[in-house]
Amino acid sequence: MAYQFVACEVKDKIAYVTITREKALNALNVEVIGEIRAIFNDVLKTDARIIIFTGAGRSFIAGADIAEMSDLPGQAGRDYTKVGMDLMDFVEAYRLPVIAAVNGFALGGGCEFAMACDIRIASTKAKFGQPELNLGIVPGFGGTQRLPRLVGKGMAKYLIMTGEMIDAAEAYRIGLVQKLVEPEQLLEEATKVAKTILGKAPIAVRLAKCAVNVAQNTDLTSGIAYELEAYQTTFNSLDRVEGMKAFVEKRSANFQDK
Ligand code: CO8
């Protein structure tokens, strides 16, 4: 499928997906959202086992498309938001790990997209914020729910209620991003992290992603029960046998996703 607003290159089992709507600072309209979903589905047909997602130019994603939203009648807001919310849920539950390589503005829906990814690595030029209240709306792509889970209730309320745009160093300090690097090292660092994850047993990576997602949506007892089943599934795998054997034999494991 040909894409207008996204591009993908697969190299060494890593899919580099770039949003390319540069003239609108990669704002998400319905068409772009559709293309991101489609390209993520296309990645599953390749041999890629992880996605690095970034933005072209000086922005990661500057939010939902305000021009598109501004013309909508009130009742259409719910449907519009649902399209974005579904994308975030899709990314969070996606079969492969997704690393957000945040190169510039990650505002509103852009910050929400980054939060739906598994790991966030930011360039020192990145900027984060939930400026929706400036527009008379609340965050609508999951921000009120994912932000407190990542940075705590107080900081989430501060960021959402003030609409303050924070720099990458502050985002790193509050735990919104996991790594902070110079702009020219962003993809290099994301690739390094991706390669580290690629070195693990794929089934364990998938189940670890799932289990941590479950942790956010359930009570401790149910979460622990889920972990027990996930653990047992990995323990039954051939990759577990290989991983432990490799350790004992002092060599690297050769995982087969079995
Ligand atoms: N939507 C549409 N166009 C945008 C957006 C956006 N979110 N952000 C930037 N653009 C466009 C600008 O309109 C401009 O276009 P043009 O050149 O045609 O005038 C171009 O991108 C460049 O932008 P600026 O000239 O403004 O660049 P600056 O460097 O001066 O400023 C900023 C950069 C600070 C990022 C500024 O563009 C800005 O504040 N953008 C809006 C950020 C924002 O408020 N994002 C949140 C949007 S709301 C949201 O995401 C809610 C999700 C839930 C939706 C629920 C729906 C019901």
Side-chain angles (χ1 to χ4, degrees), residues 44-55:
L44 294 176
K45 298 174 200 150
T46 72
D47 72 345
R49 292 206 346 248
I50 192 161
I51 289 183
I52 293 175
F53 187 98
T54 195

Side-chain angles (χ1 to χ4, degrees), residues 21-28 58-59 61-69 72 76-78 80-82 105 107-110 112 129-132 134-135 137-142 165:
R21 198 186 173 213
E22 255 185 86
K23 70 177 174 56
L25 300 184
N26 300 325
L28 296 174
R58 65 191 176 100
S59 179
I61 296 173
D65 190 312
I66 300 170
E68 187 178 67
M69 277 191 289
L72 293 175
R78 177 182 289 271
Y80 189 85
T81 300
K82 193 69 176 61
F105 296 113
L107 302 174
E112 289 165 311
Q130 296 287 162
E132 285 88 345
N134 298 334
L135 302 168
I137 53 173
V138 298
F141 289 174
M165 186 155 57

